[in-house]
Amino acid sequence: MIVLTLDQRGSRHGADRVPELLDLVAKHPTVRAFQRTAGDEVQAVFDDARAATGAALDAAGTGQWNVGVGVGPVRLPLPAETRAGAGPAFEAARDAVERSKRTQARIALTAAPRPVQASGEAGEPAPEPRLGERAARLEAELALIALSLRRRSEEQWQACRLRERGWGQARIAAELGVSQQAVSARLGAAWFEECQALTTAAEAALARLAGLEALGLEKQTPGSHA
């Protein structure tokens, strides 16, 4: 399972951005929806790596949130309230969000040890091999994407959002009232293709890290946050 814990930066001296964040991440399906846990902090539970990655990067890309991604088991059955959840994934998300505050990208990932038992062996299961190495690599990938998103200009974001819908450059150019060459330049300067490729790789790595193929929990519909 994947738990995201998001903590607003500079909240003591600025406006409450939680409602704005909830609108931003509402499109991503959850098992337990984003919910304010305390003050300026929100938390959600996912069993979909693509949705979790998207929500984490949406928040990190604004530069206004410290983002903690926790991977591991949760205590079942999950309570209806996100804030009442418990288990290693929640603890990992707490560790990650605290570490994120000391990074430039403001995003970190912690994976709780997931015991594995080799076929035919007796005794206690051993921790999954190379878990820390895989988690560190994924954290670095997420950090690179987040930093890339935060350097985009508004003009670049406009082109990227339309390209994400599957629009071609000619259609984007017509929509924005600019030349096709200008669209190409904006997408290139935003590292659009590179970010898309790295995000896809990160989604796959997160799914493997979380072992999501074995889960079949019912998701809440997008926008069902508390």
Side-chain angles (χ1 to χ4, degrees):
M1 200 76 76
I2 304 163
V3 175
L4 296 189
T5 298
L6 313 179
D7 182 54
Q8 184 180 330
R9 299 179 60 191
S11 58
R12 293 182 181 179
H13 309 290
D16 180 2
R17 297 186 179 277
V18 170
E20 178 183 324
L21 173 74
L22 295 181
D23 286 341
L24 178 66
V25 299
K27 61 182 177 289
H28 303 292
T30 61
V31 174
R32 291 295 179 268
F34 276 101
Q35 185 178 57
R36 193 190 294 264
T37 55
D40 53 6
E41 183 181 278
V42 297
Q43 197 167 55
V45 183
F46 295 81
D47 68 353
D48 183 307
R50 183 177 185 181
T53 301
L57 291 175
D58 279 351
T62 68
Q64 297 166 350
W65 294 87
N66 299 306
V67 179
V69 184
V71 180
V74 296
R75 188 177 300 166
L76 297 175
L78 276 168
E81 295 283 311
T82 307
R83 63 172 66 94
F90 284 89
E91 297 163 9
R94 171 60 51 198
D95 173 80
V97 77
E98 292 302 322
R99 287 195 302 106
S100 75
K101 299 174 184 179
R102 303 188 294 273
T103 70
Q104 184 177 359
R106 298 290 177 165
I107 186 169
L109 179 145
T110 300
R114 189 173 56 156
V116 294
Q117 181 73 67
S119 178
E121 290 186 0
E124 291 296 321
E128 185 176 355
R130 300 179 61 196
L131 181 67
E133 177 185 333
R134 292 163 59 204
R137 176 169 179 168
L138 178 53
E139 178 179 296
E141 292 173 350
L142 293 173
L144 284 172
I145 300 167
L147 289 170
S148 299
L149 296 178
R150 278 169 28 200
R151 64 182 287 278
R152 288 178 179 174
S153 68
E154 182 56 34
E155 289 182 342
Q156 291 167 3
W157 269 117
Q158 290 173 348
C160 289
R161 291 187 184 107
L162 295 175
R163 188 71 185 91
E164 286 171 355
R165 298 182 191 176
W167 289 24
Q169 291 188 16
R171 185 180 179 187
I172 296 172
E175 175 71 16
L176 298 180
V178 299
S179 68
Q180 190 169 336
Q181 290 80 2
V183 170
S184 178
R186 292 178 188 183
L187 293 173
W191 300 339
F192 176 80
E193 296 296 340
E194 293 80 1
C195 285
Q196 290 294 99
L198 191 54
T199 298
T200 299
E203 292 167 355
L206 182 57
R208 291 192 296 269
L209 194 66
L212 294 176
E213 65 280 355
L215 296 176
L217 299 178
E218 181 179 355
K219 298 181 181 68
Q220 293 187 9
T221 56
S224 60
H225 51 258

